Amino acid sequence: MRRAAAWIVALSCGLAAGASAKVPPEESYQLHCSGCHGPDGAGRADFVPSLRGLAVLLESPGGRAYLARVPGVAQAPLESAALAELLNWVLRELSDGREFAPYAAHELEAWRRDPLRDPAAARSALGRGP
Amino acid sequence: MSRMDAQFEGWGRLLARRTGRRSFLARVGALLAGSAALPLLPVARASADSSRVPAPSESIPGPEGDPTRCEYWRHCAIDGFLCACCGGSATTCPPGTEMAPVTWIGTCRNPADGRDYIISYNDCCGKGFCGRCGCNRNEGDRPEYHWVRSNDINWCAGAKSQAYHCSVAIVVGQATEAQPER
């Protein structure tokens, strides 16, 4: 009986996790970000923006929406839950431990439907950067 | 005198028929420049991080295991000339070309172990088309409006020269599953 219960728990966990295997955020980073921003997130001077120290952007008004609406984030071929995990991983790993409030999937849902039309202008409008 | 001419001409023609000056010069040149330039190539850094990179079996029989063939398993989404046929290898650029810093990244399944691996298709730039071993496999390739996963655009953007020469296919990690767009 106990074994049957364990099986039921295990099965329902499997269903909750979805059919596909769980992809760790560092692997999502390699697949969706590293091609242009590089394996270390440093980007490429005057060509690809750096992802290092981005957590500071969340401290300015509009920064949180900005980061969710940049084309690379908003249009990533990922469900919002996996996208939130990836974005939080980038902010955690590449911002030298700076505190930030992690993104939730439902936050991204709304913002990514409205990607930025002029990301560079939006970035200068924020008035600060890493 | 004419007999001597004829003799030399005969030798010359024999040599030309049997060896091919271009391939000989290309091989010697590639060997000389390649062995000197190998440690300078960015791929040395890519391969230095052995912690993340698994060692997929290379002992796959047939074209799936041959880096000079389009059917080689890492070439599942390649569109271009194979650097392994152009004086480089499946992971290194030929001498005189520069590896583009931005790349197309996708996954390919290794038939040896049935697992998916993350592949970086870096273009080698700075010389005209290589013209050898042109391949066009498009597994996981997306239209250009999804440019991050499109192999039809010139990935030499970001390199000093945008002249496309050939492409490499570097394993950068193991994938939990095939890329989501496939």
Side-chain angles (χ1 to χ4, degrees):
Chain A
M1 191 59 201
R2 187 174 286 177
R3 184 178 285 182
W7 269 109
I8 288 166
V9 169
L11 276 175
S12 51
C13 286
L15 287 174
S20 66
K22 176 100 171 62
V23 176
E26 51 267 49
E27 184 184 323
S28 288
Y29 177 82
Q30 279 194 313
L31 203 49
H32 301 287
C33 318
S34 73
C36 294
H37 293 284
D40 57 356
R44 195 83 187 164
D46 302 324
F47 185 57
V48 182
S50 168
L51 301 181
R52 306 194 74 92
L54 281 183
V56 72
L57 287 182
L58 302 189
E59 291 160 21
S60 38
R64 201 170 175 83
Y66 165 81
L67 215 49
R69 293 175 65 208
V70 293
V73 173
Q75 295 166 2
L78 289 169
E79 300 290 338
S80 291
L83 182 63
E85 203 189 349
L86 170 55
L87 192 51
N88 291 333
W89 183 85
V90 167
L91 289 165
R92 204 167 49 240
E93 295 293 318
L94 302 178
S95 291
D96 299 320
R98 199 180 183 94
E99 292 286 317
F100 69 96
Y103 281 91
H106 65 84
E107 265 182 299
L108 294 181
E109 278 294 322
W111 278 324
R112 65 190 301 204
R113 280 195 205 110
D114 182 25
L116 292 171
R117 286 181 172 73
D118 190 349
R123 176 66 175 263
S124 2
L126 283 180
R128 65 190 288 190
Chain B
M1 199 64 191
S2 65
R3 245 176 63 195
M4 221 168 129
D5 276 349
Q7 184 72 63
F8 273 102
E9 190 191 340
W11 285 338
R13 285 187 189 279
L14 193 69
L15 191 70
R17 257 204 318 276
R18 288 201 179 157
T19 59
R21 285 159 296 173
R22 280 189 168 186
S23 69
F24 175 74
L25 282 177
R27 275 182 205 166
V28 171
L31 192 72
L32 284 176
S35 49
L38 212 57
L40 304 174
L41 289 173
V43 72
R45 275 178 273 134
S47 61
D49 181 16
S50 56
S51 55
R52 283 283 299 159
V53 182
S57 168
E58 298 294 344
S59 57
I60 309 167
E64 292 88 347
D66 181 356
T68 62
R69 298 288 295 266
C70 298
E71 295 88 346
Y72 183 49
W73 70 273
R74 293 189 198 180
H75 295 154
C76 71
I78 210 150
D79 179 0
F81 306 109
L82 305 182
C83 289
C85 302
C86 306
S89 74
T91 56
T92 55
C93 285
T97 62
E98 175 202 7
M99 194 175 280
V102 294
T103 80
W104 195 104
I105 290 188
T107 65
C108 290
R109 180 155 295 172
N110 182 352
D113 58 9
R115 308 183 84 146
D116 296 296
Y117 289 89
I118 300 176
I119 310 287
S120 179
Y121 293 101
N122 297 62
D123 283 348
C124 297
C125 317
K127 281 160 98 174
F129 281 168
C130 158
R132 282 189 288 275
C133 301
C135 298
N136 197 6
R137 289 177 67 186
N138 294 317
E139 295 164 35
D141 170 50
R142 304 295 294 149
E144 278 146 65
Y145 56 76
H146 189 158
W147 62 273
V148 169
R149 214 88 77 213
S150 170
N151 64 17
D152 291 331
I153 63 174
N154 183 354
W155 282 95
C156 281
K160 277 190 218 78
S161 158
Q162 272 78 62
Y164 168 76
H165 188 62
C166 63
S167 302
V168 298
I170 303 168
V171 174
V172 292
Q174 198 172 310
T176 308
E177 58 185 15
Q179 67 193 58
E181 304 87 347
R182 294 179 77 172

